[in-house]
Amino acid sequence: MELSGVVWIAAPLVAVFAYLVFGLTGFGSTVILVPALAFFLPLRLVVPLVLLLDLAAAILLRQDGAPQRDRVEVRRLLPFMLVGMLLGVLLLAYTPERWLMLVLGLFIALVGARGLFMRTATALPIAPGWVVPAGFIGGIASSLYGTGGVIFAMYASRRIDDPARLRGTMAALIAISAVVRLGLFLLAGLMLEPELWLAWLALLPCAWIGLKLGVRWHARVDIVKLRMGINILLIAGGLGLALRA
């Protein structure tokens, strides 16, 4: 598969922005990068590519001070996340790409709409039992699209009230998810495309630049305004992707 010139221009810019968001919040890169790249590249190439970038970003973020994390919540999510990820990789390998793109577009648009219209002030703490659907559905979304961080964040943000600990917990969950998905994707033969590794090497410096900027600015940026802009982009991009499918 030959990568067009448009990809080489657009992809680095999107990667910088996506990992800027990751550095600011501890998550969010995949919901920006996956649908953007899926406009130009096959989803079965995009998902492993973003996985490799997320794994590198999580390692780099840990080197920047080893952020705090809630070990109890990580342990609660892990078993249900693993089951969901196993099912997700089977769906990715055998489901027709058109349906995967349609579901991804609708999912991304719904995530954006929820973030845009739901008032965080009304979000109350939830019971630990919600870890079961959050872990399972998040695991499926992680393997299918790399977007499980959104589901994990919905759960974790209602269980952890300290921003620094929430950011560190999300970084830990994304790192664990990335390592497990890497093993599953290798077994499923999804990591064998030479273009995958070429694209990863090309985008890795862009991800590093965005991540470093995000880590440096995360205490100074108005996160509320940032999330509002991101949610608008997600709605537009998700609907566009669904229509393209």
Side-chain angles (χ1 to χ4, degrees):
M1 181 188 61
E2 185 177 351
L3 301 180
S4 69
V6 175
V7 177
W8 292 113
I9 296 171
L13 297 176
V14 176
V16 171
F17 178 68
Y19 287 96
L20 170 67
V21 173
F22 186 93
L24 288 169
T25 65
F27 64 98
S29 56
T30 51
V31 295
I32 297 170
L33 197 53
V34 169
L37 294 182
F39 275 101
F40 311 106
L41 299 171
L43 196 59
R44 288 183 177 87
L45 176 67
V46 171
V47 174
L49 170 60
V50 177
L51 159 65
L52 293 173
L53 291 171
D54 271 354
L55 185 57
I59 294 170
L60 290 170
L61 187 61
R62 180 171 177 80
Q63 289 176 347
D64 281 285
Q68 306 173 46
R69 60 187 178 275
D70 191 316
R71 296 176 185 273
V72 173
E73 294 298 345
V74 171
R75 286 197 296 267
R76 281 178 178 158
L77 278 164
L78 191 56
F80 306 106
M81 180 176 75
L82 293 176
V83 174
M85 289 174 66
L86 181 58
L87 177 58
V89 77
L90 292 174
L91 291 172
L92 179 64
Y94 297 109
T95 303
E97 177 129 339
R98 178 174 175 237
W99 294 108
L100 293 176
M101 295 274 283
L102 177 62
V103 173
L104 173 61
L106 294 176
F107 175 76
I108 293 297
L110 286 172
V111 168
R114 179 188 181 277
L116 189 62
F117 297 113
M118 181 177 177
R119 305 181 69 152
T120 56
T122 63
L124 300 174
I126 58 175
W130 282 98
V131 72
V132 178
F136 183 67
I137 297 172
I140 293 175
S142 291
S143 289
L144 270 179
Y145 307 118
T147 55
V150 175
I151 308 296
F152 301 144
M154 290 179 185
Y155 170 81
S157 63
R158 304 280 290 274
R159 295 285 304 164
I160 303 170
D161 54 10
D162 177 59
R165 200 154 50 95
L166 174 61
R167 179 170 167 267
T169 301
M170 289 306 306
L173 288 170
I174 289 171
I176 294 169
S177 169
V179 171
V180 174
R181 279 184 290 149
L182 180 61
L184 291 174
F185 287 176
L186 284 168
L187 290 175
L190 297 173
M191 310 293 294
L192 303 180
E193 288 281 353
E195 291 84 0
L196 166 66
W197 298 96
L198 177 63
W200 177 67
L201 290 173
L203 293 181
L204 189 59
C206 305
W208 180 83
I209 291 170
L211 185 66
K212 286 294 184 181
L213 291 174
V215 170
R216 179 174 298 179
W217 294 346
H218 83 271
R220 292 179 281 173
V221 170
D222 187 333
I223 298 297
V224 174
K225 291 182 179 179
L226 174 67
R227 285 177 176 169
M228 182 179 297
I230 291 171
N231 287 324
I232 292 172
L233 290 175
L234 292 181
I235 294 171
L239 291 177
L241 196 60
L243 290 172
R244 181 178 178 272

mmCIF file of all heavy atoms in Angstrom, residues 27-69:
data_model
loop_
_atom_site.group_PDB
_atom_site.id
_atom_site.type_symbol
_atom_site.label_atom_id
_atom_site.label_comp_id
_atom_site.label_asym_id
_atom_site.label_seq_id
_atom_site.Cartn_x
_atom_site.Cartn_y
_atom_site.Cartn_z
ATOM 1 N N PHE A 27 -4.960 11.434 28.467
ATOM 2 C CA PHE A 27 -5.682 10.595 27.520
ATOM 3 C C PHE A 27 -6.201 11.496 26.401
ATOM 4 O O PHE A 27 -5.956 12.702 26.399
ATOM 5 C CB PHE A 27 -6.850 9.854 28.193
ATOM 6 C CG PHE A 27 -7.926 10.758 28.726
ATOM 7 C CD1 PHE A 27 -9.079 10.996 28.006
ATOM 8 C CD2 PHE A 27 -7.785 11.368 29.968
ATOM 9 C CE1 PHE A 27 -10.065 11.833 28.497
ATOM 10 C CE2 PHE A 27 -8.770 12.196 30.473
ATOM 11 C CZ PHE A 27 -9.913 12.430 29.737
ATOM 12 N N GLY A 28 -6.921 10.906 25.428
ATOM 13 C CA GLY A 28 -7.548 11.715 24.387
ATOM 14 C C GLY A 28 -6.868 11.671 23.035
ATOM 15 O O GLY A 28 -7.443 12.114 22.041
ATOM 16 N N SER A 29 -5.650 11.137 22.957
ATOM 17 C CA SER A 29 -4.946 11.143 21.672
ATOM 18 C C SER A 29 -5.646 10.280 20.631
ATOM 19 O O SER A 29 -5.747 10.666 19.462
ATOM 20 C CB SER A 29 -3.497 10.670 21.868
ATOM 21 O OG SER A 29 -3.474 9.390 22.479
ATOM 22 N N THR A 30 -6.138 9.114 21.047
ATOM 23 C CA THR A 30 -6.697 8.186 20.073
ATOM 24 C C THR A 30 -8.011 8.681 19.479
ATOM 25 O O THR A 30 -8.283 8.444 18.298
ATOM 26 C CB THR A 30 -6.918 6.803 20.702
ATOM 27 O OG1 THR A 30 -7.661 6.951 21.914
ATOM 28 C CG2 THR A 30 -5.602 6.137 21.007
ATOM 29 N N VAL A 31 -8.853 9.353 20.283
ATOM 30 C CA VAL A 31 -10.139 9.800 19.737
ATOM 31 C C VAL A 31 -9.938 10.924 18.727
ATOM 32 O O VAL A 31 -10.841 11.228 17.952
ATOM 33 C CB VAL A 31 -11.110 10.263 20.854
ATOM 34 C CG1 VAL A 31 -11.482 9.112 21.747
ATOM 35 C CG2 VAL A 31 -10.549 11.411 21.651
ATOM 36 N N ILE A 32 -8.775 11.540 18.738
ATOM 37 C CA ILE A 32 -8.450 12.552 17.728
ATOM 38 C C ILE A 32 -7.733 11.911 16.542
ATOM 39 O O ILE A 32 -8.088 12.123 15.385
ATOM 40 C CB ILE A 32 -7.567 13.657 18.339
ATOM 41 C CG1 ILE A 32 -8.324 14.387 19.451
ATOM 42 C CG2 ILE A 32 -7.101 14.646 17.270
ATOM 43 C CD1 ILE A 32 -7.456 15.315 20.269
ATOM 44 N N LEU A 33 -6.731 11.091 16.838
ATOM 45 C CA LEU A 33 -5.848 10.584 15.781
ATOM 46 C C LEU A 33 -6.480 9.469 14.954
ATOM 47 O O LEU A 33 -6.336 9.449 13.720
ATOM 48 C CB LEU A 33 -4.540 10.094 16.422
ATOM 49 C CG LEU A 33 -3.335 9.886 15.510
ATOM 50 C CD1 LEU A 33 -3.056 11.127 14.682
ATOM 51 C CD2 LEU A 33 -2.110 9.514 16.336
ATOM 52 N N VAL A 34 -7.185 8.533 15.602
ATOM 53 C CA VAL A 34 -7.753 7.402 14.855
ATOM 54 C C VAL A 34 -8.754 7.845 13.789
ATOM 55 O O VAL A 34 -8.611 7.483 12.615
ATOM 56 C CB VAL A 34 -8.374 6.364 15.818
ATOM 57 C CG1 VAL A 34 -9.196 5.339 15.044
ATOM 58 C CG2 VAL A 34 -7.281 5.661 16.606
ATOM 59 N N PRO A 35 -9.791 8.636 14.141
ATOM 60 C CA PRO A 35 -10.723 9.033 13.072
ATOM 61 C C PRO A 35 -10.089 9.919 12.013
ATOM 62 O O PRO A 35 -10.462 9.844 10.834
ATOM 63 C CB PRO A 35 -11.845 9.773 13.832
ATOM 64 C CG PRO A 35 -11.252 10.172 15.130
ATOM 65 C CD PRO A 35 -10.238 9.117 15.451
ATOM 66 N N ALA A 36 -9.118 10.750 12.398
ATOM 67 C CA ALA A 36 -8.459 11.612 11.409
ATOM 68 C C ALA A 36 -7.674 10.774 10.403
ATOM 69 O O ALA A 36 -7.777 10.985 9.182
ATOM 70 C CB ALA A 36 -7.536 12.603 12.117
ATOM 71 N N LEU A 37 -6.894 9.819 10.876
ATOM 72 C CA LEU A 37 -6.110 8.978 9.963
ATOM 73 C C LEU A 37 -6.993 8.021 9.175
ATOM 74 O O LEU A 37 -6.629 7.617 8.062
ATOM 75 C CB LEU A 37 -5.059 8.193 10.755
ATOM 76 C CG LEU A 37 -3.943 9.012 11.413
ATOM 77 C CD1 LEU A 37 -2.959 8.097 12.115
ATOM 78 C CD2 LEU A 37 -3.229 9.885 10.400
ATOM 79 N N ALA A 38 -8.146 7.638 9.757
ATOM 80 C CA ALA A 38 -9.035 6.695 9.068
ATOM 81 C C ALA A 38 -9.657 7.290 7.809
ATOM 82 O O ALA A 38 -10.184 6.557 6.975
ATOM 83 C CB ALA A 38 -10.134 6.223 10.017
ATOM 84 N N PHE A 39 -9.595 8.608 7.660
ATOM 85 C CA PHE A 39 -10.050 9.230 6.414
ATOM 86 C C PHE A 39 -9.129 8.858 5.249
ATOM 87 O O PHE A 39 -9.554 8.878 4.086
ATOM 88 C CB PHE A 39 -10.099 10.750 6.559
ATOM 89 C CG PHE A 39 -11.369 11.269 7.154
ATOM 90 C CD1 PHE A 39 -11.414 11.630 8.492
ATOM 91 C CD2 PHE A 39 -12.529 11.384 6.394
ATOM 92 C CE1 PHE A 39 -12.586 12.109 9.060
ATOM 93 C CE2 PHE A 39 -13.697 11.862 6.949
ATOM 94 C CZ PHE A 39 -13.738 12.224 8.291
ATOM 95 N N PHE A 40 -7.857 8.555 5.547
ATOM 96 C CA PHE A 40 -6.861 8.335 4.495
ATOM 97 C C PHE A 40 -6.306 6.924 4.460
ATOM 98 O O PHE A 40 -5.790 6.498 3.424
ATOM 99 C CB PHE A 40 -5.686 9.303 4.684
ATOM 100 C CG PHE A 40 -6.086 10.736 4.883
ATOM 101 C CD1 PHE A 40 -6.006 11.325 6.132
ATOM 102 C CD2 PHE A 40 -6.569 11.489 3.827
ATOM 103 C CE1 PHE A 40 -6.366 12.648 6.327
ATOM 104 C CE2 PHE A 40 -6.942 12.813 4.009
ATOM 105 C CZ PHE A 40 -6.846 13.394 5.259
ATOM 106 N N LEU A 41 -6.364 6.212 5.578
ATOM 107 C CA LEU A 41 -5.705 4.918 5.686
ATOM 108 C C LEU A 41 -6.687 3.841 6.137
ATOM 109 O O LEU A 41 -7.677 4.145 6.808
ATOM 110 C CB LEU A 41 -4.553 4.997 6.704
ATOM 111 C CG LEU A 41 -3.418 5.969 6.398
ATOM 112 C CD1 LEU A 41 -2.495 6.078 7.600
ATOM 113 C CD2 LEU A 41 -2.642 5.510 5.172
ATOM 114 N N PRO A 42 -6.423 2.565 5.822
ATOM 115 C CA PRO A 42 -7.277 1.478 6.305
ATOM 116 C C PRO A 42 -7.263 1.409 7.838
ATOM 117 O O PRO A 42 -6.225 1.599 8.470
ATOM 118 C CB PRO A 42 -6.634 0.222 5.704
ATOM 119 C CG PRO A 42 -5.809 0.713 4.570
ATOM 120 C CD PRO A 42 -5.342 2.080 4.941
ATOM 121 N N LEU A 43 -8.422 1.123 8.399
ATOM 122 C CA LEU A 43 -8.535 1.103 9.854
ATOM 123 C C LEU A 43 -7.629 0.040 10.466
ATOM 124 O O LEU A 43 -7.102 0.221 11.566
ATOM 125 C CB LEU A 43 -9.992 0.851 10.247
ATOM 126 C CG LEU A 43 -10.386 1.163 11.687
ATOM 127 C CD1 LEU A 43 -10.128 2.631 12.014
ATOM 128 C CD2 LEU A 43 -11.848 0.814 11.928
ATOM 129 N N ARG A 44 -7.430 -1.066 9.756
ATOM 130 C CA ARG A 44 -6.576 -2.132 10.291
ATOM 131 C C ARG A 44 -5.099 -1.744 10.298
ATOM 132 O O ARG A 44 -4.282 -2.425 10.907
ATOM 133 C CB ARG A 44 -6.797 -3.423 9.490
ATOM 134 C CG ARG A 44 -8.146 -4.073 9.785
ATOM 135 C CD ARG A 44 -8.331 -5.387 9.041
ATOM 136 N NE ARG A 44 -9.597 -6.003 9.405
ATOM 137 C CZ ARG A 44 -10.754 -5.755 8.820
ATOM 138 N NH1 ARG A 44 -10.797 -4.875 7.826
ATOM 139 N NH2 ARG A 44 -11.853 -6.358 9.204
ATOM 140 N N LEU A 45 -4.742 -0.662 9.608
ATOM 141 C CA LEU A 45 -3.396 -0.090 9.724
ATOM 142 C C LEU A 45 -3.371 1.011 10.777
ATOM 143 O O LEU A 45 -2.416 1.118 11.551
ATOM 144 C CB LEU A 45 -2.946 0.473 8.375
ATOM 145 C CG LEU A 45 -1.583 1.185 8.372
ATOM 146 C CD1 LEU A 45 -0.458 0.191 8.637
ATOM 147 C CD2 LEU A 45 -1.345 1.907 7.056
ATOM 148 N N VAL A 46 -4.430 1.807 10.828
ATOM 149 C CA VAL A 46 -4.478 2.954 11.748
ATOM 150 C C VAL A 46 -4.440 2.508 13.206
ATOM 151 O O VAL A 46 -3.693 3.070 14.012
ATOM 152 C CB VAL A 46 -5.745 3.793 11.481
ATOM 153 C CG1 VAL A 46 -5.931 4.848 12.570
ATOM 154 C CG2 VAL A 46 -5.661 4.466 10.115
ATOM 155 N N VAL A 47 -5.232 1.500 13.550
ATOM 156 C CA VAL A 47 -5.331 1.096 14.959
ATOM 157 C C VAL A 47 -3.992 0.590 15.497
ATOM 158 O O VAL A 47 -3.547 1.026 16.571
ATOM 159 C CB VAL A 47 -6.456 0.063 15.156
ATOM 160 C CG1 VAL A 47 -6.465 -0.467 16.588
ATOM 161 C CG2 VAL A 47 -7.818 0.697 14.837
ATOM 162 N N PRO A 48 -3.274 -0.317 14.807
ATOM 163 C CA PRO A 48 -1.945 -0.698 15.311
ATOM 164 C C PRO A 48 -0.951 0.461 15.334
ATOM 165 O O PRO A 48 -0.107 0.535 16.223
ATOM 166 C CB PRO A 48 -1.496 -1.792 14.335
ATOM 167 C CG PRO A 48 -2.747 -2.323 13.739
ATOM 168 C CD PRO A 48 -3.672 -1.154 13.656
ATOM 169 N N LEU A 49 -1.046 1.372 14.352
ATOM 170 C CA LEU A 49 -0.143 2.522 14.315
ATOM 171 C C LEU A 49 -0.329 3.398 15.549
ATOM 172 O O LEU A 49 0.651 3.778 16.216
ATOM 173 C CB LEU A 49 -0.400 3.337 13.047
ATOM 174 C CG LEU A 49 0.289 4.707 12.949
ATOM 175 C CD1 LEU A 49 1.796 4.553 13.022
ATOM 176 C CD2 LEU A 49 -0.132 5.421 11.660
ATOM 177 N N VAL A 50 -1.566 3.722 15.865
ATOM 178 C CA VAL A 50 -1.831 4.566 17.039
ATOM 179 C C VAL A 50 -1.472 3.819 18.324
ATOM 180 O O VAL A 50 -1.034 4.426 19.301
ATOM 181 C CB VAL A 50 -3.296 5.037 17.040
ATOM 182 C CG1 VAL A 50 -3.607 5.850 18.290
ATOM 183 C CG2 VAL A 50 -3.575 5.882 15.797
ATOM 184 N N LEU A 51 -1.630 2.512 18.315
ATOM 185 C CA LEU A 51 -1.200 1.706 19.463
ATOM 186 C C LEU A 51 0.289 1.901 19.733
ATOM 187 O O LEU A 51 0.702 2.151 20.874
ATOM 188 C CB LEU A 51 -1.496 0.235 19.191
ATOM 189 C CG LEU A 51 -0.690 -0.785 20.016
ATOM 190 C CD1 LEU A 51 -1.043 -0.685 21.485
ATOM 191 C CD2 LEU A 51 -0.922 -2.196 19.495
ATOM 192 N N LEU A 52 1.110 1.802 18.693
ATOM 193 C CA LEU A 52 2.557 1.964 18.868
ATOM 194 C C LEU A 52 2.902 3.366 19.362
ATOM 195 O O LEU A 52 3.769 3.545 20.224
ATOM 196 C CB LEU A 52 3.275 1.670 17.555
ATOM 197 C CG LEU A 52 3.219 0.214 17.066
ATOM 198 C CD1 LEU A 52 3.817 0.098 15.673
ATOM 199 C CD2 LEU A 52 3.935 -0.708 18.032
ATOM 200 N N LEU A 53 2.197 4.369 18.836
ATOM 201 C CA LEU A 53 2.435 5.743 19.280
ATOM 202 C C LEU A 53 2.000 5.942 20.728
ATOM 203 O O LEU A 53 2.691 6.602 21.511
ATOM 204 C CB LEU A 53 1.697 6.718 18.357
ATOM 205 C CG LEU A 53 2.224 6.829 16.927
ATOM 206 C CD1 LEU A 53 1.272 7.644 16.073
ATOM 207 C CD2 LEU A 53 3.624 7.438 16.902
ATOM 208 N N ASP A 54 0.855 5.365 21.105
ATOM 209 C CA ASP A 54 0.368 5.488 22.480
ATOM 210 C C ASP A 54 1.324 4.826 23.469
ATOM 211 O O ASP A 54 1.552 5.334 24.571
ATOM 212 C CB ASP A 54 -1.015 4.851 22.615
ATOM 213 C CG ASP A 54 -2.138 5.829 22.316
ATOM 214 O OD1 ASP A 54 -1.850 7.021 22.122
ATOM 215 O OD2 ASP A 54 -3.303 5.400 22.278
ATOM 216 N N LEU A 55 1.852 3.688 23.082
ATOM 217 C CA LEU A 55 2.782 2.982 23.967
ATOM 218 C C LEU A 55 4.027 3.817 24.203
ATOM 219 O O LEU A 55 4.488 3.964 25.346
ATOM 220 C CB LEU A 55 3.152 1.630 23.345
ATOM 221 C CG LEU A 55 4.022 0.706 24.194
ATOM 222 C CD1 LEU A 55 3.372 0.416 25.531
ATOM 223 C CD2 LEU A 55 4.306 -0.586 23.437
ATOM 224 N N ALA A 56 4.571 4.393 23.133
ATOM 225 C CA ALA A 56 5.747 5.252 23.282
ATOM 226 C C ALA A 56 5.418 6.490 24.105
ATOM 227 O O ALA A 56 6.204 6.912 24.963
ATOM 228 C CB ALA A 56 6.262 5.660 21.900
ATOM 229 N N ALA A 57 4.237 7.086 23.885
ATOM 230 C CA ALA A 57 3.842 8.291 24.623
ATOM 231 C C ALA A 57 3.659 7.996 26.102
ATOM 232 O O ALA A 57 4.039 8.803 26.961
ATOM 233 C CB ALA A 57 2.550 8.863 24.033
ATOM 234 N N ALA A 58 3.082 6.839 26.427
ATOM 235 C CA ALA A 58 2.890 6.485 27.829
ATOM 236 C C ALA A 58 4.230 6.306 28.540
ATOM 237 O O ALA A 58 4.397 6.703 29.700
ATOM 238 C CB ALA A 58 2.059 5.210 27.934
ATOM 239 N N ILE A 59 5.209 5.712 27.830
ATOM 240 C CA ILE A 59 6.546 5.548 28.410
ATOM 241 C C ILE A 59 7.196 6.910 28.631
ATOM 242 O O ILE A 59 7.774 7.182 29.692
ATOM 243 C CB ILE A 59 7.412 4.664 27.499
ATOM 244 C CG1 ILE A 59 6.856 3.238 27.469
ATOM 245 C CG2 ILE A 59 8.862 4.667 27.972
ATOM 246 C CD1 ILE A 59 7.507 2.351 26.418
ATOM 247 N N LEU A 60 7.079 7.795 27.645
ATOM 248 C CA LEU A 60 7.654 9.136 27.773
ATOM 249 C C LEU A 60 6.983 9.927 28.887
ATOM 250 O O LEU A 60 7.644 10.649 29.634
ATOM 251 C CB LEU A 60 7.528 9.889 26.444
ATOM 252 C CG LEU A 60 8.408 9.394 25.302
ATOM 253 C CD1 LEU A 60 8.009 10.071 23.997
ATOM 254 C CD2 LEU A 60 9.880 9.645 25.604
ATOM 255 N N LEU A 61 5.648 9.796 29.017
ATOM 256 C CA LEU A 61 4.934 10.516 30.070
ATOM 257 C C LEU A 61 5.365 10.027 31.440
ATOM 258 O O LEU A 61 5.497 10.814 32.385
ATOM 259 C CB LEU A 61 3.424 10.333 29.901
ATOM 260 C CG LEU A 61 2.537 11.165 30.826
ATOM 261 C CD1 LEU A 61 2.770 12.657 30.602
ATOM 262 C CD2 LEU A 61 1.069 10.816 30.630
ATOM 263 N N ARG A 62 5.608 8.736 31.572
ATOM 264 C CA ARG A 62 6.065 8.198 32.858
ATOM 265 C C ARG A 62 7.450 8.741 33.208
ATOM 266 O O ARG A 62 7.754 8.997 34.376
ATOM 267 C CB ARG A 62 6.093 6.670 32.815
ATOM 268 C CG ARG A 62 6.552 6.061 34.138
ATOM 269 C CD ARG A 62 6.367 4.567 34.161
ATOM 270 N NE ARG A 62 6.891 4.018 35.407
ATOM 271 C CZ ARG A 62 6.267 4.021 36.561
ATOM 272 N NH1 ARG A 62 5.082 4.583 36.650
ATOM 273 N NH2 ARG A 62 6.812 3.502 37.639
ATOM 274 N N GLN A 63 8.282 8.959 32.196
ATOM 275 C CA GLN A 63 9.616 9.497 32.458
ATOM 276 C C GLN A 63 9.554 10.935 32.951
ATOM 277 O O GLN A 63 10.465 11.403 33.624
ATOM 278 C CB GLN A 63 10.463 9.425 31.186
ATOM 279 C CG GLN A 63 10.851 7.998 30.817
ATOM 280 C CD GLN A 63 11.610 7.928 29.513
ATOM 281 O OE1 GLN A 63 11.660 8.877 28.743
ATOM 282 N NE2 GLN A 63 12.207 6.764 29.242
ATOM 283 N N ASP A 64 8.463 11.630 32.609
ATOM 284 C CA ASP A 64 8.301 13.006 33.068
ATOM 285 C C ASP A 64 7.674 13.051 34.448
ATOM 286 O O ASP A 64 6.620 13.620 34.671
ATOM 287 C CB ASP A 64 7.427 13.800 32.084
ATOM 288 C CG ASP A 64 8.208 14.241 30.871
ATOM 289 O OD1 ASP A 64 8.994 15.187 30.997
ATOM 290 O OD2 ASP A 64 8.031 13.633 29.801
ATOM 291 N N GLY A 65 8.309 12.373 35.419
ATOM 292 C CA GLY A 65 7.872 12.503 36.795
ATOM 293 C C GLY A 65 7.064 11.348 37.330
ATOM 294 O O GLY A 65 6.614 11.407 38.461
ATOM 295 N N ALA A 66 6.855 10.265 36.570
ATOM 296 C CA ALA A 66 6.097 9.112 37.035
ATOM 297 C C ALA A 66 4.833 9.532 37.767
ATOM 298 O O ALA A 66 4.752 9.513 38.978
ATOM 299 C CB ALA A 66 6.971 8.241 37.968
ATOM 300 N N PRO A 67 3.795 9.974 37.021
ATOM 301 C CA PRO A 67 2.603 10.539 37.636
ATOM 302 C C PRO A 67 1.909 9.586 38.600
ATOM 303 O O PRO A 67 1.979 8.365 38.457
ATOM 304 C CB PRO A 67 1.703 10.834 36.426
ATOM 305 C CG PRO A 67 2.203 9.955 35.340
ATOM 306 C CD PRO A 67 3.665 9.839 35.565
ATOM 307 N N GLN A 68 1.212 10.156 39.589
ATOM 308 C CA GLN A 68 0.475 9.364 40.562
ATOM 309 C C GLN A 68 -0.639 8.596 39.868
ATOM 310 O O GLN A 68 -1.177 9.037 38.873
ATOM 311 C CB GLN A 68 -0.148 10.283 41.609
ATOM 312 C CG GLN A 68 0.813 11.226 42.294
ATOM 313 C CD GLN A 68 0.064 12.202 43.178
ATOM 314 O OE1 GLN A 68 -0.810 11.827 43.936
ATOM 315 N NE2 GLN A 68 0.399 13.472 43.051
ATOM 316 N N ARG A 69 -1.019 7.465 40.440
ATOM 317 C CA ARG A 69 -2.143 6.707 39.910
ATOM 318 C C ARG A 69 -2.857 5.995 41.051
ATOM 319 O O ARG A 69 -2.281 5.734 42.096
ATOM 320 C CB ARG A 69 -1.694 5.705 38.856
ATOM 321 C CG ARG A 69 -0.693 4.680 39.346
ATOM 322 C CD ARG A 69 -0.184 3.843 38.183
ATOM 323 N NE ARG A 69 0.811 2.868 38.582
ATOM 324 C CZ ARG A 69 2.099 3.130 38.699
ATOM 325 N NH1 ARG A 69 2.544 4.350 38.464
ATOM 326 N NH2 ARG A 69 2.957 2.179 39.044
#
